[in-house]
Amino acid sequence: MIKRPGLPRKTPEEVAPEVRVFLIRLHRRRKRFRKADQKHLCTVRQRVAEAVSAGIGPEEVAKICGYAPKTIDKWLAKHRDPVQEVEIDAARERLSGLRAQRSKLKAEEMLISARARSVIRKAMRAQLDAPEFVELTGYQRATVERWFASTRRVLSQAHRRREIASVRRGKANRPPQELSPVEYDQWLVEQDMRRKTLFRKYELQPKRRRFRRRDRLQQPLRERWMPHGE
């Protein structure tokens, strides 16, 4: 088990070495996994040839192993090694065991990728860009750039929601203390301009305040029933 880097109270300078060490260890683990996967693939090709030689059809072999029939046909066409004679039941049992092992390897690969993606935010906080991430982990650059873009999009959307909610609530925009009337008027205008600029930035419409019956009842009687224009 590889320990994940960083604690919430650590600075980016303290987290950066831990992130690099974590990625290097993850790369080593990924190399070991790829070697095991290659070894498993060679075993699968040998077992497929043995099963076909025992009398099992290629389509049935593909169904038991979980591979595509075209892949099985390609393996059989390229196979040149001697084949050991086995019984049909033994061949089916071996193929079933290989399918279970393949599922286990897939789960291991997904776990490694998930651990690599789990430190994207810490890498961004420590100013590790995509090329350095590729160099440390061995993943393809297109894959890493897609991970960075996805994380950046999620963070940007979260920041947008918080900013809009803050402006709509108005809790973060309270006026400073001890303002003169002129300064208070200036502060009101600036806050209104900031609100309109933010909504224009995200192409939103500000919520209009509903005219409630309670507000109407609080008006003077003369203004409440005075016709417009008088």
Side-chain angles (χ1 to χ4, degrees):
M1 184 66 66
I2 304 176
K3 184 179 178 182
R4 294 184 180 180
L7 293 174
R9 296 183 179 180
K10 288 189 176 182
T11 62
E13 292 76 12
E14 295 173 344
V15 175
E18 297 183 5
V19 172
R20 290 187 174 91
V21 171
F22 176 83
L23 295 178
I24 292 173
R25 292 179 177 176
L26 202 65
H27 190 195
R28 294 174 182 173
R29 183 174 180 178
R30 186 165 176 260
K31 283 184 177 180
R32 293 194 299 268
F33 162 77
R34 297 189 70 177
K35 289 182 180 179
D37 188 37
Q38 290 293 333
K39 184 178 179 180
H40 170 75
L41 189 58
C42 294
T43 305
V44 170
R45 292 176 180 177
Q46 186 68 22
R47 295 292 181 262
V48 165
E50 293 175 357
V52 173
S53 178
I56 304 176
E59 295 183 357
E60 185 179 356
V61 171
K63 185 177 181 180
I64 297 175
C65 292
Y67 289 94
K70 293 182 179 180
T71 304
I72 300 298
D73 294 338
K74 183 175 63 176
W75 288 349
L76 293 174
K78 294 182 178 180
H79 189 78
R80 296 292 183 271
D81 298 335
V83 178
Q84 182 182 1
E85 294 183 2
V86 294
E87 297 181 357
I88 294 180
D89 295 338
R92 287 195 176 96
E93 186 177 355
R94 289 180 178 181
L95 293 177
S96 300
L98 292 175
R99 182 169 185 172
Q101 188 177 359
R102 184 192 178 199
S103 300
K104 184 177 180 180
L105 290 174
K106 279 188 174 181
E108 179 71 15
E109 184 180 8
M110 293 178 63
L111 178 61
I112 295 175
S113 298
R115 287 186 174 275
R117 294 192 65 175
S118 66
V119 296
I120 292 291
R121 296 192 181 191
K122 290 184 175 65
M124 295 172 68
R125 183 168 178 260
Q127 297 184 353
L128 270 71
D129 54 0
E132 186 175 1
F133 198 94
V134 170
E135 183 180 357
L136 293 174
T137 58
Y139 282 98
Q140 295 183 358
R141 183 162 184 171
T143 302
V144 174
E145 289 179 351
R146 186 170 64 250
W147 290 350
F148 270 75
S150 177
T151 305
R152 192 179 301 111
R153 182 169 57 254
V154 170
L155 294 174
S156 178
Q157 291 175 355
H159 174 72
R160 171 187 172 181
R161 288 193 296 267
R162 289 193 300 269
E163 191 176 8
I164 294 175
S166 174
V167 170
R168 282 179 171 171
R169 289 194 306 264
K171 294 182 179 180
N173 303 321
R174 296 176 181 175
Q177 300 295 323
E178 299 179 358
L179 289 180
S180 65
V182 177
E183 293 174 344
Y184 180 71
D185 293 341
Q186 180 187 15
W187 181 88
L188 289 176
V189 174
E190 290 178 351
Q191 292 301 315
D192 184 68
M193 292 176 60
R194 174 176 175 267
R195 180 171 177 267
K196 292 180 180 179
T197 302
L198 179 66
F199 286 133
R200 195 182 304 114
K201 172 183 176 182
Y202 294 124
E203 299 180 357
L204 299 174
Q205 293 293 335
K207 289 185 177 180
R208 295 184 177 181
R209 183 174 179 272
R210 294 181 179 180
F211 192 76
R212 301 179 180 177
R213 185 173 180 272
R214 181 180 60 186
D215 299 336
R216 182 176 178 83
L217 292 176
Q218 291 177 356
Q219 295 179 351
L221 184 62
R222 178 180 176 81
E223 296 180 2
R224 196 186 314 168
W225 298 105
M226 181 70 69
H228 294 288
E230 295 186 7

